[in-house]
Amino acid sequence: MSNPAPDAKASRKSLATLFFCTALPMGMWSVPLSNVFNAHGRGHLVPWVFATTATAAFISPLFVGALADQKHSPVLLLRWLTAATSLALLLTCGALAWGWSDAAVLVCAQVLALCALPAWSVTSSIVFSQLHDAKVQFGPLRAWATGGWMVGCWIVSFVLRADASLVAGVTAAGLWLVVMSLTWRLPMIPPGEVVQHRTWKQILGLDALGLLIHRDHRVVFLTAALYCIPLAAFYPYTSRQLHDLGVKNISAVISLGQTTEVVVMLLLSGLLTRVRLKWVFLSGIAICVVRYSFNTFNTLPSVLFGTFLHGFAYTLYFITTQIYLEERIDPKWRVRAQALLAMLMSGVGNLLGYLGGGWWFDACTEGESTDWSRFWWGETALTAAVCVFFAVAYRGRVAKA
């Protein structure tokens, strides 16, 4: 399936640029979203808006992944998805600005999620298809995406001064069109296995569920879903906690977590060749337990340190999971495997995480005051339970799908 550009160096630059520019608008909208909705009197919708990505994850990633594996070039699909994402984001911002009803705002947010969510898994599959050694090459390339996310946060806080403004969303919509333009610089990668007469199961991508038969695959996928439940609290509620602590440039402060992401991604290839895979996975979840425990102190230094640890907690599990799928699953299932991961993370995990986190936040809030120590102890305990589950369930046998 690999179809690299003639010049390997140019190909790596194109892939790095693609990752950077795709993450840029994602960070510009996802991080300030909670405060933007609060500023427009729609703070009560925040858990539901985040949950739209979860409901979209049950539909679009597997469907689009099946198209990319069996019907159309993933590059062409990314071109369509980014154009649709730009329009949907503009419509969502307009719905807030024009005072549309809560239902109308949520419908716009749902359309946005359906378009934007599969774009990331397709982007990752495009990059993987161009690599000769994912374990060595993927980490440094993926670091460019983290850099794009960080730059997006900095632009929102320091250039646009839009931590609670729709200007962030409108600018992000324009940048999605930049991503669309980059697809013309990529080789038109063919689908992994062209299927002329597809069953409904293949069309919807449900055949990817067969990957769960393998025990280790099943544990890795299931842990990703479970881990996303407490992890979903990071962006919506860390930003609120920082607001309560008097922080102004919230988007820029939260980007502190991405600095460690970059460092870990650059070191990941060496780590994966020296340390057993199970311990890399497990260390990421364990660090998240420590990270959330620091948030319970509810002081600015402790929250900043907890945020700093985010890069370790995220990268060591989820980026390693992407590399695991690339190395241990048949290439013709590449996009569907990444799509199944997106469905379980953004669908099952985030749906439970956003809605459950919203319920738990309400339970810890009285009037305008939130008991942040109680809130984060709950998230810490949940993360610890996931850590124990993975430690017991994962065997780590080397096997192909």
Side-chain angles (χ1 to χ4, degrees):
M1 181 174 174
S2 296
N3 185 21
D7 185 290
K9 187 176 182 180
S11 177
R12 286 196 295 271
K13 287 180 179 178
S14 296
L15 297 174
T17 302
L18 178 65
F19 256 153
F20 182 91
C21 292
T22 302
L24 187 65
M26 292 172 65
M28 291 186 72
W29 178 242
S30 298
V31 175
L33 185 151
S34 181
N35 290 323
V36 170
F37 272 73
N38 283 332
H40 287 79
R42 306 296 180 94
H44 58 286
L45 292 181
V46 170
W48 297 98
V49 172
F50 276 103
T52 61
T53 62
T55 55
F58 287 107
I59 305 169
S60 54
L62 283 177
F63 173 72
V64 173
L67 282 176
D69 274 338
Q70 300 174 339
K71 197 73 174 176
H72 298 291
S73 168
V75 175
L76 185 61
L77 290 174
L78 183 61
R79 189 175 302 163
W80 295 341
L81 288 168
T82 50
T85 299
S86 177
L87 292 174
L89 182 50
L90 280 176
L91 187 60
T92 303
C93 291
L96 284 173
W98 302 323
W100 289 5
S101 68
D102 286 355
V105 172
L106 286 176
V107 168
C108 293
Q110 186 64 78
V111 173
L112 171 60
L114 286 167
C115 299
L117 194 63
W120 182 250
S121 59
V122 172
T123 298
S124 296
S125 70
I126 289 172
V127 173
F128 273 124
S129 73
Q130 303 292 285
L131 304 182
H132 301 294
D133 187 347
K135 184 180 291 186
V136 174
Q137 296 174 300
F138 185 71
L141 283 172
R142 178 57 177 77
W144 282 92
T146 302
W149 184 285
M150 293 169 62
V151 170
C153 292
W154 297 341
I155 291 173
V156 168
S157 290
F158 301 130
V159 179
L160 301 176
R161 305 288 181 180
D163 281 284
S165 170
L166 289 172
V167 172
V170 173
T171 306
L175 289 172
W176 275 113
L177 296 179
V178 173
V179 181
M180 181 186 71
S181 70
L182 292 177
T183 62
W184 273 279
R185 298 177 56 190
L186 298 170
M188 195 57 65
I189 302 163
E193 181 185 32
V194 177
V195 179
Q196 297 298 335
H197 302 290
R198 300 188 299 161
T199 65
W200 281 106
K201 189 176 181 180
Q202 290 174 316
I203 291 172
L204 296 175
L206 297 177
D207 51 343
L209 295 175
L211 296 172
L212 300 179
I213 295 173
H214 187 286
R215 178 190 171 95
D216 280 352
H217 297 350
R218 183 169 64 251
V219 172
V220 169
F221 278 121
L222 182 57
T223 302
L226 294 173
Y227 189 19
C228 277
I229 297 174
L231 206 65
F234 176 61
Y235 286 113
Y237 300 109
T238 301
S239 63
R240 291 196 182 194
Q241 187 177 22
L242 288 171
H243 180 271
D244 288 352
L245 290 171
V247 175
K248 300 298 181 183
N249 298 318
I250 294 172
S251 297
V253 171
I254 289 182
S255 73
L256 178 66
Q258 276 69 53
T259 60
T260 45
E261 273 192 42
V262 173
V263 174
V264 177
M265 286 177 198
L266 293 176
L267 299 175
L268 191 59
S269 62
L271 187 65
L272 290 174
T273 58
R274 292 175 175 83
V275 181
R276 187 184 169 196
L277 196 61
K278 178 174 182 176
W279 298 114
V280 177
F281 280 135
L282 200 57
S283 62
I285 308 173
I287 289 172
C288 189
V289 176
V290 176
R291 182 267 294 271
Y292 277 169
S293 68
F294 271 93
N295 281 38
T296 65
F297 294 108
N298 196 31
T299 64
L300 185 57
S302 65
V303 175
L304 289 178
F305 185 71
T307 302
F308 177 77
L309 292 177
H310 171 75
F312 295 98
Y314 179 85
T315 305
L316 290 175
Y317 191 85
F318 292 112
I319 302 304
T320 303
T321 298
Q322 288 189 285
I323 295 173
Y324 170 94
L325 297 181
E326 177 64 17
E327 290 195 335
R328 300 198 181 185
I329 289 178
D330 193 312
K332 70 182 181 182
W333 291 83
R334 177 181 285 123
V335 186
R336 278 169 291 177
Q338 299 292 341
L340 180 60
L341 178 65
M343 187 199 78
L344 291 172
M345 288 171 54
S346 299
V348 178
N350 283 354
L351 181 62
L352 295 174
Y354 290 138
L355 296 183
W359 168 82
W360 180 234
F361 175 78
D362 289 340
C364 296
T365 302
E366 186 173 346
E368 297 296 321
S369 178
T370 301
D371 185 345
W372 287 112
S373 180
R374 181 187 176 197
F375 177 83
W376 289 113
W377 273 126
E379 300 293 342
T380 301
L382 187 56
T383 310
V386 176
C387 191
V388 172
F389 165 77
F390 182 83
V392 173
Y394 184 79
R395 290 177 178 171
R397 291 177 179 174
V398 178
K400 293 283 184 181

